[in-house]
Amino acid sequence: MTTNNLTVGLIQQSNTENTEQNLQKLEANIAYCAQQGAKLVVLQELHNTLYFCQNEDVDVFDLAEPIPGPSTTFYGKLAKKHNLVLVTSLFEKRASGIYHNTAVVFETDGNIAGKYRKMHIPDDPGFYEKFYFTPGDLGFQPIQTSVGRLGVLVCWDQWYPEAARLMAMAGAELLIYPTAIGWDPRDDEAEKERQRQAWITIQRSHAVANGVPVISVNRVGHEADPSSVSDGIQFWGTSFVCGPQGEFLGQASTDKEKNLLVSVDLTRSEDVRRIWPFFRDRRIGSYSDITKRYLND
């Protein structure tokens, strides 16, 4: 079978309080990826700003913007300028009191190809996202682009096999996870590594179970807790791409900014699904209980 190689750019960067500087850095990094031949570039979760969910502050809602809006104009122009498909992650203001964590995908002509609103919303120390985000209502629908059907999910979604499966069942050729995840600096090194390895393993398992490549882009660096209640978050980077058998195709470090360029052969899914036909052997008539919260005795 002939190959269909797609060069993907993953932008793993640290952010500051200066949004304009963050945007300038992203613009330069997108340009670099394009110069290296990337036709698909993926940004990390909520990349315009610091990760603002470490505490609950109503003033933060001022950061949200409509879609379309200023950020979609900015990124649309970059997608068109560099003739690439661009996956972004924005704080969407849908209406007063209704805000979403929304991934927006731009086509090579700068137009919006589609968007996905984050479905699974965490509420944990340092990750108080339920205060800010309404759960998504667009379902698990891949976004058709010139480089393929993209199954875009966001961060906390990456822990849920149901989300990956539904995207793959709807025809996603790639699973993509913009992410902002890190350690509590107070955890010991063994616990930190267990968490990071679990994060890697669950996403590689989605690749294997569905026979599709996975792209995961995380931020890096330390961000202080604005409330000073905790020691902040040390984001663990480790952005990576794996193939449809979970094999690593490229991976960034835990502590350095990186524009990671990876070649993905989109035809390998066909080969892998022929030898591991998981979709063929699913017992779909026996899965009705999966829609329940929990099965009691």
Side-chain angles (χ1 to χ4, degrees):
M1 181 176 291
T2 60
T3 61
N4 178 16
N5 290 323
L6 171 67
T7 301
V8 180
L10 291 72
I11 296 176
Q12 172 176 296
Q13 72 175 47
S14 60
N15 280 7
T16 70
E17 293 180 350
N18 189 318
T19 299
E20 185 59 34
Q21 288 182 0
N22 297 333
L23 295 179
Q24 290 173 2
K25 184 190 291 188
L26 285 165
E27 182 174 6
N29 288 336
I30 291 168
Y32 174 84
C33 290
Q35 291 163 7
Q36 301 304 308
K39 293 302 181 183
L40 170 64
V41 172
V42 183
L43 309 185
Q44 62 206 30
E45 184 184 21
L46 301 172
H47 44 69
N48 286 359
T49 64
L50 294 172
Y51 178 74
F52 50 79
C53 304
Q54 292 198 58
N55 68 331
E56 299 180 355
D57 181 354
V58 294
D59 290 339
V60 169
F61 289 109
D62 291 338
L63 296 174
E65 56 185 278
I67 296 173
S71 284
T72 58
T73 298
F74 176 76
Y75 290 110
K77 289 179 179 178
L78 292 178
K80 183 176 182 179
K81 176 180 179 181
H82 297 295
N83 190 36
L84 51 77
V85 173
L86 180 62
V87 180
T88 67
S89 175
L90 305 176
F91 186 15
E92 178 187 7
K93 180 178 181 179
R94 186 174 179 182
S96 296
I98 304 178
Y99 303 85
H100 294 284
N101 187 334
T102 302
V104 182
V105 178
F106 297 89
E107 190 45 271
T108 56
D109 60 4
N111 289 321
I112 294 175
K115 64 183 180 181
Y116 166 81
R117 290 173 175 149
K118 186 174 181 177
M119 296 281 277
H120 300 94
I121 312 296
D123 188 56
D124 300 302
F127 297 88
Y128 297 110
E129 295 195 15
K130 280 187 168 64
F131 181 79
Y132 295 103
F133 306 127
T134 300
D137 56 1
L138 298 178
F140 300 108
Q141 293 297 320
I143 297 170
Q144 182 65 56
T145 74
S146 57
V147 298
R149 290 175 61 80
L150 309 183
V152 182
L153 299 157
V154 178
C155 201
W156 195 234
D157 291 326
Q158 65 207 178
W159 298 95
Y160 293 86
E162 300 90 341
R165 176 69 88 200
L166 288 169
M167 278 292 190
M169 287 174 62
E173 297 171 272
L174 290 161
L175 295 177
I176 298 176
Y177 296 97
T179 300
I181 191 169
W183 295 298
D184 182 334
R186 295 169 295 186
D187 287 336
D188 63 35
E189 294 306 310
E191 174 60 19
K192 290 178 180 178
E193 188 59 12
R194 284 191 294 268
Q195 291 177 11
R196 190 177 72 93
Q197 290 299 329
W199 175 79
I200 294 169
T201 301
I202 191 67
Q203 293 177 92
R204 292 178 71 192
S205 76
H206 299 330
V208 174
N210 294 291
V212 293
V214 166
I215 299 169
S216 183
V217 186
N218 192 21
R219 65 175 67 203
V220 73
H222 179 267
E223 294 185 17
D225 178 358
S227 68
S228 300
V229 171
S230 74
D231 292 335
I233 299 174
Q234 182 70 41
F235 292 96
W236 64 48
T238 320
S239 300
F240 71 92
V241 180
C242 67
Q245 290 172 303
E247 69 277 21
F248 281 114
L249 303 178
Q251 187 176 39
S253 72
T254 61
D255 58 355
K256 293 181 176 62
E257 295 182 307
K258 178 71 174 180
N259 294 323
L260 182 66
L261 279 298
V262 180
S263 179
V264 180
D265 180 0
L266 296 180
T267 63
R268 272 192 40 75
S269 291
E270 177 69 27
D271 291 339
V272 169
R273 285 184 176 184
R274 290 180 182 185
I275 60 172
W276 287 350
F278 298 135
F279 282 81
R280 182 197 68 189
D281 294 338
R282 295 178 65 243
R283 299 297 301 275
I284 59 175
S286 303
Y287 298 157
S288 60
D289 283 346
I290 200 69
T291 61
K292 298 178 181 179
R293 179 69 63 187
Y294 189 74
L295 301 182
N296 295 324
D297 293 337

